[in-house]
Amino acid sequence: MKQTECTTILVGKNATIDGSTMIARSEDGGRTIIPERFDVVMPADQPKHYEAVISHQKIDDADLLDNPMRYTSAPDASGKNGIWAAAGINSDNVAMTATETITTNARIQGIDPLLTEGGLGEEDFVTLTLPYIHSPKEGVERVGYLLEKYGTYEMNGMAFSDKDEIWYLETVGGHHWIARRIPDDAYVVAPNRLNIDEFDFESEDFMSSSDLKNLIEEYQLNPDQDGYNMRHIFGSATIKDAHYNNPRAWYVHKYFDPEFKGQPGDQDQPFITYAKKKISIEDIKFIESSHYQDTPFDAYGDMGTPEQKKTFRPIGINRNFETHILQVRNDVPAEIAGVQWLAFGPNTFNSMVPFYTNITTTPASFQTGPKFDLNKIFWLNKLAAQLGDTNFRVYGALEEDFEQKSLAQCHKIQHETDKEVAGLSGSELEAKLNEANQKMADTVYNNTVELLGNMVNEGHGLMTLKYDLLD
């Protein structure tokens, strides 16, 4: 099992509307539905011994440090293929999302091939990293250590943040890696390709495995006349990229900068980019839900031909199973700064919920099980999306109203809670935040049930199987 088709968005603190850092990713899969849940992992529950389910790689107990922190996660509900914790925020307000599946090329694979036995992958990285790190840079160092010691069998990108910094790391071959600090006033969109471009080995804003520069020189891997472009050196520029990956970045750039020059298939769209406005949670949710609206490539639109509507892979897709925005705020006390915005199912028919992460439990409706169960928001959202897909022109307007209503109500609960918990600490504070999370989860669950009812009412007269003597 593999989550292979994600889209990552990173926004520095000076590029957001409220001065927070935001790292986001839609966790997408294949044709098989992969139910996701929301958990909080207490230090006592962190594994004392670890063996990967997929690769059977065992981790030395000494590398499972004896002082893990509490952290949130969004693991696969079944657990049969491992944990796949996906994303979370720990008790030090350090966030991590992992992983974005990325591309490679034959040149590096001929030097440092991906492992065919053992190694770590998306299944493992959050569980082995997030409970042990106290800064984004420590996250890079921790993953770099694990990659160099144990190796990997797949190419992945991942991000780390706190209230001040965001770092993005990509694996290179079986044991090498690169990372870059995202400028505070910039944003990044990273689809399923190797994304880091310009790289400066002399700058403190860049990190890599220690022998990487020598490896590039020894094996003559750099195709450029000057400088180092890691996408050119280690990545790909294929026809698949032009249809599957690059158009997603193009659409995001056009959204944030209507004057952005370029075409959907362009191979060299920039990694570090700058928006014309401050970026909000709502902007990121729109992007993660997008399907090329107002272009000929929108599967739900009426501007393009049937062929054009199938040309490019959208960000919002039926294979969205879990989407998160990990926000670390700068305008509130540290005890309430971490917020894991979370939505399950296809993003065209769901709403984000801003869960506080200084908690001891999660709402029951977000504790998904592997079997279809309409008491769980994951399955309710899947049902809404599949019904909505039958006539987006009719149901899309209902979804917009539902999402605006849900986000407004969650914002209100969050504003009220931020004020109510002032001066609280310890278990008393955690209890209040658990209560607020439950209230927001209940609100969005009830709104989703209401949305389904409205869809049924609107769709009743649109069914093909009907007969009326007046027809």
Side-chain angles (χ1 to χ4, degrees), residues 169-285:
L169 177 150
E170 293 183 313
T171 62
V172 175
H175 294 87
H176 291 81
W177 55 275
I178 53 178
R180 179 172 184 177
R181 185 186 186 279
I182 308 306
D184 294 340
D185 58 346
Y187 79 89
V188 163
V189 52
N192 299 117
R193 61 173 300 174
L194 196 140
N195 291 283
I196 295 176
D197 46 24
E198 286 81 11
F199 200 87
D200 184 353
F201 282 101
E202 306 306 317
S203 170
E204 293 183 354
D205 290 334
F206 297 80
M207 298 173 65
S208 69
S209 32
S210 59
D211 64 337
L212 193 68
K213 186 177 180 181
N214 290 336
L215 182 145
I216 293 171
E217 304 302 332
E218 179 182 354
Y219 290 95
Q220 301 173 321
L221 296 177
N222 192 353
D224 296 334
Q225 297 290 349
D226 300 300
Y228 296 89
N229 184 313
M230 294 305 184
R231 193 184 301 165
H232 295 170
I233 295 171
F234 298 119
S236 62
T238 65
I239 296 298
K240 180 178 179 180
D241 288 325
H243 286 260
Y244 196 85
N245 293 320
N246 306 338
R248 284 182 270 164
W250 167 81
Y251 189 76
V252 175
H253 296 325
K254 292 289 287 183
Y255 176 80
F256 284 131
D257 180 4
E259 298 176 1
F260 177 78
K261 305 299 182 184
Q263 299 299 318
D266 288 351
Q267 299 284 8
D268 276 327
Q269 296 181 46
F271 176 64
I272 301 296
T273 39
Y274 301 88
K276 294 292 187 181
K277 65 171 186 175
K278 298 284 189 177
I279 296 173
S280 67
I281 290 289
E282 287 77 9
D283 288 323
I284 298 177
K285 176 57 167 69

Side-chain angles (χ1 to χ4, degrees), residues 221 315 429 457 459:
L221 296 177
I315 297 175
L429 173 61
N457 287 333

Side-chain angles (χ1 to χ4, degrees), residues 151-164:
T152 184
Y153 51 85
E154 58 189 10
M155 291 283 288
N156 284 311
M158 58 197 80
F160 311 87
S161 66
D162 61 11
K163 66 182 181 65
D164 294 316

Side-chain angles (χ1 to χ4, degrees), residues 278-298:
K278 298 284 189 177
I279 296 173
S280 67
I281 290 289
E282 287 77 9
D283 288 323
I284 298 177
K285 176 57 167 69
F286 175 84
I287 289 166
E288 294 286 12
S289 305
S290 64
H291 39 90
Y292 302 113
Q293 292 94 312
D294 294 327
T295 77
F297 313 116
D298 183 2

Side-chain angles (χ1 to χ4, degrees), residues 14-50:
N14 293 340
T16 62
I17 197 170
D18 63 352
S20 63
T21 58
M22 301 179 190
I23 62 175
R25 184 169 59 91
S26 61
E27 188 180 10
D28 309 338
R31 293 183 178 181
T32 301
I33 296 174
I34 305 171
E36 311 287 340
R37 55 185 289 125
F38 179 42
D39 283 347
V40 56
V41 183
M42 305 303 286
D45 299 324
Q46 177 68 5
K48 303 293 190 298
H49 311 280
Y50 189 89

Side-chain angles (χ1 to χ4, degrees), residues 25-80:
R25 184 169 59 91
S26 61
E27 188 180 10
D28 309 338
R31 293 183 178 181
T32 301
I33 296 174
I34 305 171
E36 311 287 340
R37 55 185 289 125
F38 179 42
D39 283 347
V40 56
V41 183
M42 305 303 286
D45 299 324
Q46 177 68 5
K48 303 293 190 298
H49 311 280
Y50 189 89
E51 180 177 348
V53 173
I54 293 175
S55 68
H56 304 293
Q57 177 67 59
K58 292 183 179 180
I59 302 300
D60 294 340
D61 287 352
D63 288 332
L64 298 171
L65 310 178
D66 60 5
N67 56 343
M69 288 176 281
R70 183 203 65 226
Y71 62 102
T72 54
S73 73
D76 290 0
S78 73
K80 64 181 181 180

